[in-house]
Amino acid sequence: MKPLVSFVIPVHDNSLFEIQRCIGSIKKIKNLMYEILVIDNNSSMQNSKLYKKLSKENNINYFYTGEQGVGKARNIGITKAKGEYLSFVDADDEIVPDFLDNLTFNKRIDLYIFNIVVKNAKTTNILKIVTDNNNYISEKELAYNLVTGFSLNNSVGKLFRRNFLINNNIFFTNMRSGEDATFIRDIIIMKPLTRHVGKNAYIYYEGVTNSRERLIKEPIEVYNDSKKIFLLKRTLAERLNINTEVVLYKINQEYIKGISNNLLDLWNINNKKADLVKELILKDIKPFNCNKNYSYMTNIRIQLLKSKSKILINLFNYVRNLYLKMYKN
């Protein structure tokens, strides 16, 4: 019998504990026809053997690709899956097993959106979309959530109708960061029939290590992707006529926070690529001025970057790292 949901899990040298925890959470789901696809994204030979063995033991479809990138792995999942709906799951996260209990599926729905539980070592928060409608969500509401916050800047915690993606040729782009936002943007402009389900569906384990490592390893690529996402959001807001002053300030604020964090993470890294990105960020901040519509911290970031003061930036970076250590790690 054809599965209703295909769970697509990209893996890249994840620990066996993480993958077993992820798969175990899915296998706790009851009364649902589903399949699990593990997409091995260029892991080491030793780890690939472990993933293949684990998949065989759990009746899971295993695929290997020599190409790196979570987007490419998810694209393989889109093409290989047999389910009516797709659920993308990161290997170091979990599914809430009862998130589909009492949900009557309407196969005309292109996109189901659930809440995401965000956990780190110190705190737990619920990430949910902003909507006036408890059931169906308009194209403009989707766009508003994508461009003004983090609730739609990810592909997890959702069910995507596979034929909707295939028929509209919607796949993940090859980016170092921001591929999820681009993917959701491509879905929004095709006007999906969308339902909001106010249940926790996904547990995201938050950390700062991976994003920092990616930035330090490929600073120019990450910098370019951040600019692409900034322009993507402004363009989408204009296209759907939601580019109010408040919305544009929120887009700017998110961008300022992102590039200032990148500058701080690269501040003590001394090589040609990192130095170039730091120089570009200091140029990028020039058009932005302090404004009452920005948060207090955003205005501090603007002043900090414009000052170019090594003493002030080192001090801010020290305080920021203390905060990350206390509340995130």
Side-chain angles (χ1 to χ4, degrees), residues 85-86 88 110-111 155 158-162 165 183 187:
Y85 287 92
L86 300 174
F88 299 109
D110 302 309
L111 173 61
S155 59
K158 300 166 185 66
L159 293 178
F160 304 90
R161 190 164 67 85
R162 181 176 176 272
L165 300 181
F183 180 72
I187 288 173

Side-chain angles (χ1 to χ4, degrees), residues 15-64:
S15 71
L16 201 58
F17 165 77
E18 289 176 331
I19 298 174
Q20 288 175 325
R21 180 182 64 184
C22 178
I23 291 172
S25 69
I26 297 172
K27 295 190 74 174
K28 291 178 184 176
I29 296 174
K30 298 177 181 178
N31 303 317
L32 177 73
M33 288 294 297
Y34 67 87
E35 64 172 353
I36 302 174
L37 290 79
V38 167
I39 316 297
D40 185 351
N41 180 22
N42 198 32
S43 299
S44 68
M45 184 179 297
Q46 181 179 359
N47 281 335
S48 292
K49 287 180 180 178
L50 291 174
Y51 304 153
K52 193 171 184 178
K53 181 174 181 290
L54 179 66
S55 298
K56 186 176 181 181
E57 290 172 349
N58 288 276
N59 195 29
I60 290 170
N61 299 306
Y62 171 88
F63 301 93
Y64 177 85

Side-chain angles (χ1 to χ4, degrees), residues 184-203:
I184 298 296
R185 184 278 312 268
D186 291 343
I187 288 173
I188 290 172
I189 62 179
M190 297 312 297
K191 301 180 179 180
L193 184 58
T194 305
R195 185 179 170 196
H196 172 236
V197 182
K199 291 184 67 175
N200 298 341
Y202 192 92
I203 301 174

Side-chain angles (χ1 to χ4, degrees), residues 92-301:
D92 53 353
D93 294 333
E94 292 183 73
I95 289 292
V96 178
D98 65 353
F99 81 104
L100 293 176
D101 288 1
N102 303 317
L103 177 66
T104 302
F105 275 89
N106 177 352
K107 294 184 181 180
R108 291 175 56 247
I109 303 293
D110 302 309
L111 173 61
Y112 283 97
I113 299 176
F114 301 84
N115 299 336
I116 299 172
V117 181
V118 181
K119 286 188 175 184
N120 58 49
K122 304 288 173 45
T123 63
T124 298
N125 296 297
I126 306 298
L127 193 62
K128 57 180 69 174
I129 65 168
V130 178
T131 177
D132 294 328
N133 193 325
N134 290 328
N135 288 306
Y136 296 97
I137 307 172
S138 69
E139 179 187 10
K140 284 190 175 183
E141 280 188 303
L142 288 172
Y144 177 84
N145 278 275
L146 177 63
V147 303
T148 62
F150 299 101
S151 55
L152 276 186
N153 278 255
N154 49 71
S155 59
V156 300
K158 300 166 185 66
L159 293 178
F160 304 90
R161 190 164 67 85
R162 181 176 176 272
N163 281 345
F164 176 83
L165 300 181
I166 297 293
N167 294 340
N168 290 293
N169 196 32
I170 299 173
F171 292 91
F172 288 89
T173 54
N174 184 27
M175 300 173 70
R176 298 301 186 278
S177 61
E179 68 273 357
D180 281 16
T182 304
F183 180 72
I184 298 296
R185 184 278 312 268
D186 291 343
I187 288 173
I188 290 172
I189 62 179
M190 297 312 297
K191 301 180 179 180
L193 184 58
T194 305
R195 185 179 170 196
H196 172 236
V197 182
K199 291 184 67 175
N200 298 341
Y202 192 92
I203 301 174
Y204 169 71
Y205 291 99
E206 183 182 38
V208 296
T209 304
N210 289 343
S211 58
R212 275 184 172 178
E213 288 178 350
R214 186 164 55 238
L215 172 67
I216 291 169
K217 183 180 179 182
E218 300 176 301
I220 294 175
E221 291 81 1
V222 172
Y223 165 79
N224 287 334
D225 286 346
S226 68
K227 290 207 74 171
K228 287 178 186 176
I229 297 303
F230 172 62
L231 295 173
L232 174 153
K233 292 185 175 183
R234 289 187 69 98
T235 302
L236 182 62
E238 292 168 5
R239 176 172 180 162
L240 296 182
N241 198 30
I242 59 170
N243 54 330
T244 63
E245 185 177 57
V246 172
V247 167
L248 293 180
Y249 274 122
K250 286 185 176 183
I251 296 172
N252 290 348
Q253 185 165 268
E254 182 187 343
Y255 180 62
I256 292 165
K257 179 180 178 181
I259 62 172
S260 61
N261 283 344
N262 287 346
L263 178 79
L264 295 169
D265 286 337
L266 292 172
W267 189 247
N268 294 314
I269 306 297
N270 297 306
N271 59 54
K272 287 184 178 180
K273 289 185 177 181
D275 289 343
L276 173 60
V277 170
K278 285 182 278 188
E279 183 181 332
L280 291 171
I281 289 172
L282 291 173
K283 287 181 179 178
D284 285 348
I285 201 66
K286 287 182 179 179
F288 299 102
N289 295 306
C290 294
N291 191 287
K292 64 180 181 180
N293 291 298
Y294 292 142
S295 69
Y296 178 72
M297 186 55 67
T298 299
N299 284 323
I300 288 179
R301 288 172 182 270

